[in-house]
């Protein structure tokens, strides 16, 4: 990794400075949603359906309304009277706020109680009587698409089946030609199961709508407060200038806090109607059964391969389980997210990707959980598929990858599905990881262990991610272009304040974004205050999710800092009585080229910006930038996992995990390493334990942390982290900067390791998570 160019006292890019935000959070001084208490606050609890699919014949709330302390019971019928029974989703669908006709998944919102006390509100839910007429539930997308399947979205005009969307890309004709030329076709059918981001803090809102002034101040757990303000204005009919959304400290998001949930709308409407603040904080079970699921992709991939192991083409058919409403926060033009990055790091002459989504009687899914839009699923499929191809052709999985990688001299490289990768050196990355783990020796040890009856597996995954959405010509959500912003003001004393359109949920923005400014202007990072999450006090932006905050918001920060650097050079030239073009800036010092003793500091320039300017120059030292990225960025990595499988029990244990990531310039290496470890832990969790299932009646199995297993420090293996030596020259402030790509390749690496341990038994297919009973069953079946 490149050495820092600024001294430690400035703390620019490359310095592992301690996070500014940690002190107050560790000392209990954070300000989270549940900490907010406004005078006269009322409390809301939501009644949720116990059934996955049922007609609502009637709701009797009289007993609940009669309880002392209950001010109102809100039903779908009441919301409908105000035109708020349905709301638009981020994917262009509509979603019920409170069910009026029928419920479409277990946990769907049916009614809400507004009371003076949260316990009264919760207790009153038991006194609401709902007359349900149970309907047959549909729990898989395959059932949903069967002939004669019950219509889930029967309220939608023109909807005659359960198809949520169809989408395809690539060249079908060229792909068919490639398969016709192949010596063999390698096929893999797999399911990336439904999971939940499970942030430490659940979702919530405090809505304070002044019925006299029309001013709405809404505190909410939002990863995208500006976008949410715009959508609130559209849904509630409130003037946008009268809406202020404040997203306080957030205890983790991972995509779960991007959608607008019905509880937000109901609380806001109740505050408007009653004239008092209304607070709603969901329980853990509510969070797990009803908010933003991820994954749930059924994938069939086919590789056209020669007998020498050369890949000629790729065909993919993907079927996604969208739940009852299509509410993914996906770019509008890409109905399956960026799943078409499924060609991965390989030089495919041809590819054709066919995607379809289906409605089911489950909660809506599809959030960008610890990755860009659906890229984890794509990476998982291609890496499992290439691994299987290596077994069938009879060559080493590492050799198979090296034989088919895009080569460094081919960049910039346009994939068969339309992405333009900027740069990369995939062979060096994989070989570096192989050298670190001692790959050749491991293969020898594996062979010796097998002779002794021990099952050692070596799993490989190499991924290329597409992050930093995105260029306005292609990327929008609900019509909002995916640009982002930064506003920078340098005060007369040389201190600064940076205001961002993106919103942190633990990524360290208050530290890393200050380091970007420090790098450009030389103002010490500790002298730069960073603000975010308040729509009244920050510039418009699309928020933090899908690994986009640093590539887009960070780039905006770098650009606005450079604008102020250009103006500062003119002021410095005035102070030094030199020509503008002769001024050089390094580590906060402006000097005259060839005369370094003639210099002024950034602090001198900041004061002059308000007191002593060249004639005709506008006073002040501040600006705002809206950044429209010219392309996505394409970080990549090579992961190698070594596991041992107990042939008697199926239990597998990780022996080593080596992860090499190329994520561009690392703004703060310490924070990057922390983010990578977090992502690897989530990748391990997905391969080992973290999944949510449903029984035949649509009951969610995974409604608490006893059933939905999240790894602790006890289960999580040790990670060995590597980095590329030379960052991408195309992205001077970093392709990602916070290392969130780490979850992308790790599930495939872990699963490939288990499959590799069983490869000599002929085992090719074990879906995630790789639980001991599945492994033991595979061993038993193979032998």
């Amino acid at each position: 990794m490149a050495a820092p160019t600024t001294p430690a006292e400035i703390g620019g890019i490359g310095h592992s400075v301690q996070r500014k935000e940690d002190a107050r959070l560790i000392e209990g001084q954070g300000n989270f949603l549940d900490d907010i208490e406004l005078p006269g606050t009322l409390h809301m609890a939501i009644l949720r359906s116990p059934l996955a699919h049922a007609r609502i014949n009637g709701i009797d709330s009289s007993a609940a309304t009669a309880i002392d302390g209950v001010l109102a019971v809100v039903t779908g019928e009441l919301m409908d009277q105000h035109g708020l029974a349905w709301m638009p989703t981020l994917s262009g669908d509509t979603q019920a706020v409170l069910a009026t006709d029928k419920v479409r998944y277990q946990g769907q919102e049916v009614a809400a109680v507004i009371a003076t006390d949260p316990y009264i509100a919760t207790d009153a839910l038991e006194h609401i009587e709902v007359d349900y007429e149970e309907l047959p539930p549909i729990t898989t997308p395959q059932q949903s698409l069967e002939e004669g399947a019950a219509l889930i979205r029967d309220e939608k005009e023109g909807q005659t089946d359960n198809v949520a969307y169809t989408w395809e890309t690539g060249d079908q004709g060229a792909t068919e030609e490639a398969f016709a030329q192949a010596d063999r076709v390698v096929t893999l059918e797999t399911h990336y199961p439904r999971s939940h981001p499970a942030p430490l803090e659940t979702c919530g809102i405090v809505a304070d709508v002044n019925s006299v002034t029309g001013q709405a101040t809404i505190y909410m757990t939002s990863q995208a407060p500006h976008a949410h303000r715009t959508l609130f204005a559209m849904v509630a009919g409130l003037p946008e200038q009268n809406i202020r959304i404040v997203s306080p400290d957030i205890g983790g998001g991972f995509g779960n806090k991007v959608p607008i949930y019905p509880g937000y709308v109901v609380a806001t409407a109740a505050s408007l109607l009653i004239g008092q603040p209304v607070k709603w904080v969901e329980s853990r079970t509510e969070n797990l059964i009803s908010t933003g699921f991820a994954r749930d992709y059924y994938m069939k991939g086919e590789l056209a391969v020669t007998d020498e192991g050369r890949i000629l083409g790729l065909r993919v058919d993907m079927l996604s389980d969208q739940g009852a409403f299509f509410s993914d926060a996906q770019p509008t033009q890409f109905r399956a997210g960026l799943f078409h990055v499924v060609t991965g790091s390989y030089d495919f002459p041809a590819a054709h990707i066919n995607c379809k989504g289906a409605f089911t009687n489950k909660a809506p899914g599809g959030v960008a959980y610890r990755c860009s839009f659906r890229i984890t699923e794509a990476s998982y499929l291609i890496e499992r598929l290439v691994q299987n191809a290596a077994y069938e052709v009879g060559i080493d999985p590492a050799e198979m990858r090296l034989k088919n990688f895009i080569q460094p001299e081919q960049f910039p490289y346009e994939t068969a599905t339309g992405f333009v990768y900027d740069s990369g050196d995939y062979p060096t990355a994989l070989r570096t990881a192989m050298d670190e783990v001692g790959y050749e020796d491991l293969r020898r040890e594996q062979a010796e262990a097998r002779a002794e009856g021990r099952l050692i597996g070596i799993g490989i995954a190499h991924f290329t991610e597409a992050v930093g959405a995105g260029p306005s010509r292609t990327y929008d959500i609900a019509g909002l272009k995916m640009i982002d912003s930064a506003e920078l003001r340098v005060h007369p004393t040389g201190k600064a304040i940076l205001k961002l359109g993106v919103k942190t949920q633990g990524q360290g923005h208050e530290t890393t974004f200050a380091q970007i400014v420090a790098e450009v202007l030389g103002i010490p990072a500790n002298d730069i205050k960073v603000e975010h999450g308040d729509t009244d006090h920050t510039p418009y932006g699309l928020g933090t999710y899908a690994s986009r905050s640093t590539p887009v918001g960070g780039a905006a920060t770098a650009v606005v800092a450079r604008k102020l650097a250009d103006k500062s050079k003119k002021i410095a030239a005035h102070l030094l009585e030199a020509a503008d073009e002769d001024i050089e800036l390094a580590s906060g010092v402006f000097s005259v080229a060839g005369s370094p003793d003639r210099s002024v500091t950034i602090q001198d320039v900041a004061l002059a910006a308000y007191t002593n300017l060249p004639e005709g120059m506008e006073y002040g030292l501040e600006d705002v930038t809206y950044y429209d990225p010219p392309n996505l960025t394409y970080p990549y990595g090579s992961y190698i996992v070594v596991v041992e499988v107990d042939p008697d029990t199926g239990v597998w244990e990780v022996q080593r995990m080596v992860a090499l990531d190329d994520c561009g310039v690392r703004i703060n290496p310490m924070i990057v390493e922390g983010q990578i470890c977090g992502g690897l832990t989530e990748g391990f969790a997905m391969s080992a334990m973290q999944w949510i299932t449903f029984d035949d009646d649509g009951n969610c199995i995974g409604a608490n942390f006893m059933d939905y297993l999240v790894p602790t420090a006890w289960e999580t293996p040790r990670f060995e982290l590597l980095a590329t030596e030379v960052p991408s020259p195309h992205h001077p402030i970093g392709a990602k900067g916070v290392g969130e790509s780490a979850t992308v390749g790790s599930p495939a690496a872990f699963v490939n390791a288990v499959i590799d341990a069983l490869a000599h038994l002929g085992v090719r297919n074990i879906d995630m998570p790789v639980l001991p009973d599945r492994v033991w069953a595979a061993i038993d079946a193979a032998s």
Side-chain angles (χ1 to χ4, degrees), residues 310-342:
R310 179 62 185 155
I311 297 173
L312 303 178
L314 171 69
R315 279 194 303 236
V316 175
D317 283 296
M318 187 280 292
L319 175 61
S320 65
D321 187 333
Q322 295 301 133
F325 305 108
F326 189 19
S327 62
D328 293 13
Q330 309 285 21
T332 302
Q333 293 190 35
F334 305 110
R335 309 315 289 155
L338 303 185
F339 180 77
H340 51 306
V341 80
V342 69

Side-chain angles (χ1 to χ4, degrees), residues 569-651:
K569 287 182 180 181
K570 291 180 170 61
I571 298 173
H574 169 67
L575 297 177
L576 295 170
E577 298 182 341
D580 294 355
E581 59 271 19
D582 291 337
I583 298 299
E584 298 175 341
L585 170 60
S587 298
V589 176
F590 299 85
S591 59
V592 179
S595 302
D597 54 320
R598 296 177 58 197
S599 64
V600 292
T601 66
I602 182 62
Q603 289 76 20
D604 297 327
V605 168
L607 182 60
Y610 298 88
T611 62
N612 182 13
L613 285 181
E615 186 175 349
M617 180 178 285
E618 184 178 2
Y619 280 94
L621 196 55
E622 61 181 86
D623 211 328
V624 61
T625 286
Y626 286 84
Y627 184 75
D628 184 2
N631 189 10
L632 301 178
T633 61
Y634 299 93
Y636 59 91
S638 285
Y639 295 168
I640 299 179
V641 174
V642 182
V643 304
E644 182 164 0
V645 178
D646 187 322
D648 296 320
T649 65
V651 172

Side-chain angles (χ1 to χ4, degrees), residues 167 330-335 337-338 340 418-419 469-477 479-483 628-632 634:
W167 189 81
Q330 309 285 21
T332 302
Q333 293 190 35
F334 305 110
R335 309 315 289 155
L338 303 185
H340 51 306
F419 290 99
S472 63
R473 66 185 181 277
T474 309
Y475 289 86
D476 70 89
I477 291 182
L480 302 175
K481 296 299 184 179
M482 297 187 71
I483 48 85
D628 184 2
N631 189 10
L632 301 178
Y634 299 93

